[in-house]
Structures are given as structure tokens and as C-alpha cells.
Amino acid sequence: MAKKTEDDGQASKRHFAEDVGLTFEAEGMPRMAGRILGWLLVSETPHVALQDVAEILHASKGSISTMSRLLMRMGLIERVSLPGERRDYIRLKPGSWSEWFATEAVKIGALRQLAEHGLELLESKSSVSRDRLVEMRDLFAFLEQEYPVLLERWKKKRR
Amino acid sequence: MAKKTEDDGQASKRHFAEDVGLTFEAEGMPRMAGRILGWLLVSETPHVALQDVAEILHASKGSISTMSRLLMRMGLIERVSLPGERRDYIRLKPGSWSEWFATEAVKIGALRQLAEHGLELLESKSSVSRDRLVEMRDLFAFLEQEYPVLLERWKKKRR
DNA sequence: TAGTTTGTTTAGTCAAGATTGAACGAATTG
DNA sequence: CAATTCGTTCAATCTTGACTAAACAAACTA
């Protein structure tokens, strides 16, 4: 039983981290970044040392260093340094998912702009192609406007 | 002037297609698929022959074939065959953007499931890690529910 | 049927970028 | 100060997958 407690379901948790890695990769991000995120999600400590992450995921210190900095740029994790401690720690950033969602709105805005740019290139007023771009622009403009509203509603509901 | 009409702003349109290609690539999709989509967006004809796309984008028939089939799987374009015509044509699928948005909801659902799976792995009831996953699951569950509502509102507004 | 004109498939090339390992620098400890 | 323990950086490797070109298949034409 002592062994069981020490293990603490590591195997399945590592598997979970791998799952998140694959999901991340499917979204066009580095798999290792997803693995780190996945591990942080199920590690039952307030924060984790970079080095431990490398060991647990069987990865090099280098990739952990690089990918954790990527996750920081994305606003999903943050660094924690403890006084009188040599090691660096990372943890999930509280409220990071809302922040992630906010960046989705930005992406949507970029697509709206793209459609607008396309519209400028159409010289004929013919409805065929113009309609398509207008539909695209309108949808993304709509979403761009509604995403923040949605986010606000969720934040309110959360309390 | 004749030349100008024939050209029809091809240069800037090709540039636009390239832009969409880069945007697509940034989202983790093949650049060529984005280029095709981009060209369809600004080509002022109801449909375009596969072969013409290959020529205009300076790409091989092979990649156009493969990537247009990818775009079809994504529900963004569709094939058009004309009676007594040898060539195959493609065009943007009407209403494809709404469909695309619907698939976003599916992705969100996958993330909610991931969070749920993670929660199953936590044996301690300690709030530290559990809270994080609960927040994640709640947000995605919320979005999963609200996306279709949003879409419905847009469709209604559109008329 | 033979000859074209198309799209598809497949093997191969190539580039991008994820990952590693080693060298490095900074900070800490004895 | 020497030794240790970290994280970071960088060159090298390796893998993935986009893309091409050529062979192929299918549909049409004469």
C-alpha cells in the first residue's frame, strides 16, 4: 500500500498528460507544451519544479525550458520562485482559461479583417462572390462582438 | 485597358490568397489549403476548375487535389460537376462559415471531456488542483452550451 | 478503339521545427 | 574559492508532413 500511495496514479496521470499533448498538437502547437500543461492539470501540488517535469515526462531540460516559456507567452502558466530556493517552479495561471478565450476573440477579429481586405479587391459589384465575403465578414464581426459578452456572462455566473 | 481587364487584379488577389494561406498555416493547417480557400474567396466566378487553381497558384495538380479534398472534409468547399464537362470545379460551400463555427463547438466539447477525464484521476479532494480542473471544465461546458445559441441568434439575425 | 484531357495516387524530396545533449552562465552552498 | 545545482542557449539530429513529378485511372472525344 505504501508503494501505491507513492505512485499516486502516476501512470494514468502521465497518460493523461500525453493525451493533452496530442490534443495540443492537433491544434497546431508543440506536443511537449501540451504534455507540460497536462501534467500541471493533474499534479496535485500547488506548483512543480521544472526539473521534476523533465524527469516525469522523460524529456530533456532544454525542451521543458523552451516549452514552458512558450506556455508563459500564451498566458497559460506562470513562474513561481520561492525565497531561498534554487529551483524554479511553474504552475497553472489562475483564470488562464478566460484569458485563452479572450485571445480567441482576437483571432476572430483577424479573420474579419481578412474578409474586409478581400472585399476591397472585388471591383465588380456582382453579388456572387461579394455575398460570400460579406457573409464571412458579418459572421466574424458578430462573433468578435459577442465573445467578450459571453466571457463577461461567465465571469459573473462564476461568483 | 484590355490588358487591365484581363488581368483583373490577379496580382493582388494572388497576394490575398497567400495571406489566407499564412493565416491557415498559423492555425495549424496546410498552407496550400488556405491558398485555395483564399483564391476562391476573391475569384469572381461561381466556381473554379481545379486545374486553373493549380496554374494560378503555381502548384502541382497533386497538391491541389489533396488539399481540395481536405477542404471538402472540413466542409468549407464543395465539388461542382457540370453536365458534359470534363473538368472538375470547386466552389465555396454556401453557409460554410456557420458550419465551421459548429465544429468549433465540437472542439470545445472535446476539451471539456478532457477536463472531466482529468478530474477522475484526482483521488484527493484537495481543492488546489481540483479547483483548476473544475474551472476549466465549467468554462468549456458553458461555451459548449452557448455556442449553438450564438449560432442560432446569428442565423436569425441574418434574415 | 485510339487518343486526349482530366483528377488521383504514390514514391521521393525537401524544409520546418520539435527534441536532444552538451556547453555555458548564474546562483548557492560548503 | 571550489563544487554543485539549477535554467538557458545553441548546434545537431530526427521526425513530420507539405509538396512535387511521374505514373496511373477514368471519362470523354473523334
Side-chain angles (χ1 to χ4, degrees):
Chain A
M1 262 307 130
K3 222 54 187 148
K4 179 65 187 299
T5 304
E6 189 194 347
D7 188 306
D8 208 29
Q10 284 243 349
S12 50
K13 286 181 178 179
R14 250 199 290 247
H15 189 275
F16 175 77
E18 208 62 38
D19 266 5
V20 180
L22 288 175
T23 306
F24 237 60
E25 192 176 46
E27 297 300 320
M29 310 272 354
R31 187 186 296 189
M32 189 63 77
R35 284 197 270 236
I36 297 173
L37 193 68
W39 178 256
L40 287 178
L41 278 170
V42 290
S43 78
E44 318 207 25
T45 53
H47 46 250
V48 176
L50 279 193
Q51 190 150 261
D52 289 346
V53 178
E55 271 180 42
I56 291 162
L57 300 181
H58 297 113
S60 70
K61 288 189 299 171
S63 77
I64 300 300
S65 171
T66 305
M67 289 306 135
S68 60
R69 268 186 300 118
L70 170 66
L71 288 170
M72 290 176 57
R73 270 209 311 278
M74 296 176 66
L76 289 177
I77 72 174
E78 63 188 3
R79 187 174 297 280
V80 180
S81 53
L82 303 178
E85 259 286 8
R86 195 172 315 205
R87 309 169 118 203
D88 278 10
Y89 295 89
I90 54 176
R91 70 163 170 220
L92 291 178
K93 196 163 156 190
S96 61
W97 295 112
S98 333
E99 203 168 305
W100 164 85
F101 183 67
T103 70
E104 286 299 292
V106 175
K107 285 191 199 172
I108 294 288
L111 290 174
R112 191 216 68 223
Q113 287 184 335
L114 209 55
E116 232 133 50
H117 181 203
L119 276 171
E120 291 169 10
L121 298 178
L122 303 183
E123 51 283 304
S124 96
K125 281 83 200 158
S126 90
S127 52
V128 189
S129 41
R130 182 157 295 251
D131 285 357
R132 297 187 298 233
L133 271 170
V134 167
E135 182 197 348
M136 175 179 170
R137 187 208 41 197
D138 286 353
L139 172 58
F140 288 131
F142 174 74
L143 293 177
E144 191 181 10
Q145 187 192 2
E146 294 296 331
Y147 270 31
V149 178
L150 219 53
L151 184 55
E152 221 34 61
R153 263 180 55 211
W154 185 71
K155 279 182 177 167
K156 201 155 285 172
K157 182 184 176 189
R158 185 150 183 74
R159 303 178 217 131
Chain B
M1 258 310 131
K3 222 55 187 146
K4 179 64 189 300
T5 304
E6 189 195 348
D7 187 306
D8 210 32
Q10 283 242 348
S12 51
K13 286 180 178 178
R14 247 197 293 244
H15 190 274
F16 175 78
E18 207 63 36
D19 267 4
V20 180
L22 288 175
T23 306
F24 239 60
E25 192 176 46
E27 297 301 319
M29 311 271 356
R31 187 186 297 189
M32 188 65 77
R35 284 197 269 237
I36 297 173
L37 193 69
W39 178 256
L40 288 177
L41 278 171
V42 290
S43 79
E44 317 207 27
T45 54
H47 46 251
V48 177
L50 278 192
Q51 192 151 262
D52 289 347
V53 178
E55 270 180 43
I56 291 161
L57 299 181
H58 297 113
S60 69
K61 289 189 298 173
S63 77
I64 300 300
S65 172
T66 306
M67 290 305 135
S68 59
R69 271 186 297 118
L70 170 66
L71 288 170
M72 290 175 58
R73 271 209 310 278
M74 295 175 68
L76 289 177
I77 74 174
E78 63 188 2
R79 186 174 299 279
V80 179
S81 52
L82 303 179
E85 259 286 9
R86 199 174 307 206
R87 310 170 117 203
D88 278 9
Y89 295 88
I90 53 176
R91 70 163 170 219
L92 291 177
K93 195 163 159 191
S96 61
W97 294 113
S98 331
E99 203 169 303
W100 164 85
F101 183 67
T103 69
E104 285 299 293
V106 175
K107 284 192 201 172
I108 294 288
L111 289 174
R112 190 216 69 222
Q113 286 184 335
L114 208 57
E116 233 133 48
H117 181 202
L119 276 171
E120 291 169 11
L121 299 178
L122 303 184
E123 52 282 306
S124 96
K125 281 82 200 159
S126 88
S127 51
V128 189
S129 44
R130 172 145 293 182
D131 285 357
R132 297 187 298 232
L133 271 171
V134 167
E135 181 198 348
M136 175 178 169
R137 185 206 45 194
D138 286 353
L139 172 58
F140 287 133
F142 174 73
L143 293 178
E144 190 181 11
Q145 186 192 2
E146 293 297 331
Y147 270 32
V149 178
L150 219 51
L151 184 55
E152 223 33 63
R153 263 181 54 210
W154 186 70
K155 280 182 177 169
K156 200 155 286 174
K157 182 184 174 188
R158 184 150 184 73
R159 303 180 218 131

